[in-house]
Amino acid sequence: MSKIKAISCHKILNSRGDWTIETHVELDDGAVGIQAIPEGASKGEREAVSLPVDKSVHIVSTVIDDAIRGENPEDQEGIDRMLIEMDGTANKHHFGGNSLLSVSLAVASAVSNSKGIELYEYLSAQFYKKPFSKASLQFPTPVFNVLNGGKHAHNGLSFQEFMVIPSRAYSIDKAIEIGTNIYHSLKTKLIEEHLDVDVGDEGGFAPNNLTVPKALEFLKAAASEQYKPGKDVFFGMDVAAESFYSEGHYKIREENLELNDDKLIEYYEKLFKKFEIIYLEDPFYERDYQAWEAVYKKLGNNCMIVGDDLVVTNTKYLKKAIERKMINAVIVKPNQVGTLTETFDFVRMAQEAKMDIILSHRSGDTAEDTFIADLAVAVGAQFIKSGAPVRGERVAKYNRLLEILAINNPED
Ligand code: PGA
Ligand code: ZN
C-alpha cells in the first residue's frame, strides 16, 4: 500500500485575477494529486474561512506536510479528521478551509492516479463504500447561468443569476448543446435590443438597464427560438437575497421596490405565473428562517427551493433546514466546509431527506480544477452549476463531463 510522501503548495491566479492556492500531494509510488481552490464573491456568513494565500501556502507546505506525510492516502476519513482536529475551530479559521480542502481533495486525486482509475470511480467507491459500477453511472443536468447581476456584475440588477435548465430527460451532451444554443440566441437578442454583451464573473451576460422580469423575458424569448419552455427547457434564479437585504427589507432598486417577506413571496409568485421557473436559490437572507418556511410552503411543490448560503455545505445548518422544512434542494460547494469527508456527510444527509443535489463551482474559479464534475457523477447529483457555457474555467467542468461520457461510450 502506498503512503503519502510529500505535500507542497504554491500560489496561482484564479479567473478574477486573484491569488489562490494549488496543492500537490505526492505518494511514494510516484502518483501525484493536484488541487486548485476556488473562491466565492457572494459567500454565506457561516462558510469555512479562506486564509490569505501566503499563509495557506506556508501552512500546507510545513505544518500539514509534517503531519500527513507517511499516512495511508486511502484513509480519506482518517486524514480529513486529522486536518479538522489540527485546525480545531468550527469555521476552520486557524488553518483555513482553503488550505484543508486543497490537501483533502488532492489526496483523493493522488489515490485515483495511483490506482489508475478515473477520479469519479474512486470518489464513488469512497462515497458509497462499495466498488463503482458503470451501470449506476448518472450525469448531472447543467444549470446554465446566462444572465448575471448581483455581486457578479456591476449592472444594477438585484438578482445574481438567471439560469436555463434543460429537461432532465436529455443526455448530458444534448443538454450542453441546448444550453449553448440558448446562450447564443440570447446574445443575438441582447444585441438586437442594443444591450451590452460583456460577461460577468460566471460567463453570463451582464447588461445595464435590466430588471428581473425583463431578464426572464429575454431568457424565455431566447429559449423559445428552438425549444419549448416548460417541456424542453426550464428557468431558474439564484436570487442571493442577502446582497440586497437590509433591516427586514429587500430593496430591488431597479424597480424602486422595498419589499418585506410577504411582498417578496408575492413578487416571486407573479414571476412563477409568467415563466416556467423550477429553481429558486437563496430567495431570502440566510437568517430569515420564517420567510424560508413560507416560501417553501407556497412554492416548494412545483419548484426546487435551493439552499446555498442558508446551509453552506454544513450538516449542522442542513439539519435545521430539514427540521423546519425550508428547502427541498441543496447547493454543494466543498470549499464552504473544507474537507471531502464533510462534503460527503452533507450529501448523504441531503439524499436521505430526498433533496436534489446541485454541485457548484464558485464565481472565482480555475480551469485547472474540474473536481466538481467528477464529484457530481460520483454521488449521482441531479444538477451541476458551472456558469455559462463560455470562459475557460466554466467550460472546463462541462468538458470534463463530456470526457466522462466519452470514456463510458467509446465510439469504436
Ligand atoms: P459565489 O456565488 O461563488 O460568488 O459565492 C455563487 C452562488 O451564490 O451560488
Ligand atoms: Zn448561490
Side-chain angles (χ1 to χ4, degrees):
M1 193 193 311
S2 58
K3 297 217 176 311
I4 294 174
K5 186 178 164 198
I7 302 177
S8 62
C9 182
H10 64 278
K11 61 182 181 179
I12 62 168
L13 288 168
N14 74 13
S15 58
R16 266 198 286 261
D18 292 328
W19 294 111
T20 185
I21 57 168
E22 181 176 281
T23 289
H24 291 221
V25 169
E26 189 186 347
L27 308 187
D28 59 9
D29 64 5
V32 178
I34 300 176
Q35 188 61 45
I37 295 300
E39 178 84 46
S42 111
K43 295 185 188 175
E45 290 172 4
R46 294 172 286 204
E47 289 192 22
V49 169
S50 250
L51 280 194
V53 162
D54 289 335
K55 267 193 180 166
S56 277
V57 166
H58 179 71
I59 286 169
V60 173
S61 313
T62 58
V63 193
I64 296 182
D65 179 38
D66 283 349
I68 305 287
R69 204 183 310 153
E71 292 295 320
N72 168 13
E74 288 186 56
D75 181 13
Q76 183 76 44
E77 263 187 58
I79 288 172
D80 287 345
R81 296 285 163 227
M82 273 177 77
L83 293 171
I84 293 164
E85 275 167 31
M86 280 166 68
D87 172 81
T89 66
N91 63 359
K92 318 262 189 331
H93 70 259
H94 190 194
F95 282 1
N98 51 342
S99 321
L100 303 190
L101 187 71
S102 72
V103 175
S104 178
L105 302 189
V107 164
S109 290
V111 178
S112 76
N113 289 336
S114 159
K115 289 178 177 293
I117 60 174
E118 293 294 332
L119 180 59
Y120 65 87
E121 293 184 27
Y122 178 64
L123 294 176
S124 170
Q126 286 276 316
F127 181 72
Y128 288 107
K129 302 196 190 305
K130 61 176 192 208
F132 168 77
S133 128
K134 200 175 154 175
S136 61
L137 187 75
Q138 188 195 317
F139 283 90
T141 295
V143 173
F144 297 101
N145 173 15
V146 294
L147 274 175
N148 294 183
K151 288 185 179 165
H152 294 168
H154 297 278
N155 57 354
L157 181 60
S158 299
F159 290 16
Q160 183 176 281
E161 302 170 23
F162 294 83
M163 297 174 276
V164 291
I165 310 169
S167 156
R168 290 272 295 140
Y170 291 114
S171 59
I172 180 66
D173 50 340
K174 182 74 186 165
I176 291 175
E177 181 189 308
I178 291 173
T180 309
N181 285 342
I182 295 175
Y183 184 80
H184 290 137
S185 298
L186 179 60
K187 183 170 184 173
T188 308
K189 293 214 172 291
L190 292 170
I191 292 170
E192 278 168 8
E193 298 284 324
H194 308 290
L195 290 170
D196 284 343
V197 286
D198 299 345
V199 301
D201 288 357
E202 297 188 351
F205 302 110
N208 290 322
N209 302 321
L210 275 188
T211 61
V212 170
K214 187 91 191 129
L216 286 166
E217 268 164 33
F218 268 111
L219 243 58
K220 188 162 175 171
S224 303
E225 290 252 306
Q226 293 184 58
Y227 307 103
K228 195 168 165 21
K231 180 174 171 283
D232 306 315
V233 67
F234 301 86
F235 306 110
M237 294 182 289
D238 181 358
V239 178
E242 175 271 338
S243 67
F244 55 95
Y245 172 84
S246 168
E247 294 168 8
H249 284 89
Y250 295 88
K251 289 186 185 151
I252 304 177
R253 287 181 212 276
E254 65 275 27
E255 293 182 76
N256 284 322
L257 296 173
E258 191 167 325
L259 306 177
N260 65 15
D261 292 351
D262 291 343
K263 292 283 176 216
L264 184 54
I265 291 181
E266 281 173 23
Y267 184 88
Y268 291 136
E269 283 183 299
K270 247 195 189 155
L271 297 175
F272 274 59
K273 285 201 180 106
K274 254 185 111 175
F275 304 102
E276 290 74 7
I277 296 168
I278 58 159
Y279 180 110
L280 188 61
E281 181 178 333
D282 282 349
F284 288 96
Y285 167 55
E286 64 208 66
R287 294 182 195 268
D288 202 354
Y289 295 138
Q290 285 174 355
W292 278 90
E293 289 168 348
V295 77
Y296 177 76
K297 224 181 200 169
K298 276 246 160 88
L299 300 172
N301 269 346
N302 302 310
C303 180
M304 284 181 268
I305 307 295
V306 186
D308 174 14
D309 292 353
L310 178 76
V311 286
V312 291
T313 317
N314 190 319
T315 51
K316 182 173 162 197
Y317 306 113
L318 177 58
K319 195 161 173 275
K320 192 180 221 166
I322 293 169
E323 281 164 8
R324 291 185 59 166
K325 294 198 174 61
M326 294 192 266
I327 50 175
N328 53 17
V330 283
I331 289 287
V332 177
K333 293 170 172 166
N335 81 324
Q336 285 181 324
V337 68
T339 63
L340 182 58
T341 299
E342 289 162 291
T343 305
F344 279 166
D345 290 344
F346 179 86
V347 173
R348 283 193 195 101
M349 186 183 275
Q351 285 178 341
E352 272 162 31
K354 306 258 181 296
M355 293 190 178
D356 282 330
I357 308 287
I358 304 119
L359 249 297
S360 172
H361 65 163
R362 301 304 305 244
S363 54
D365 215 298
T366 62
E368 287 77 7
D369 176 19
T370 55
F371 197 97
I372 59 161
D374 284 78
L375 186 54
V377 170
V379 303
Q382 284 79 7
F383 298 94
I384 187 166
K385 271 179 86 178
S386 181
V390 292
R391 295 184 57 134
E393 77 284 0
R394 310 297 147 192
V395 298
K397 283 71 164 171
Y398 297 134
N399 286 343
R400 173 60 181 156
L401 292 173
L402 293 171
E403 185 177 41
I404 296 173
L405 179 70
I407 292 168
N408 286 281
N409 297 296
E411 289 239 333
D412 49 44

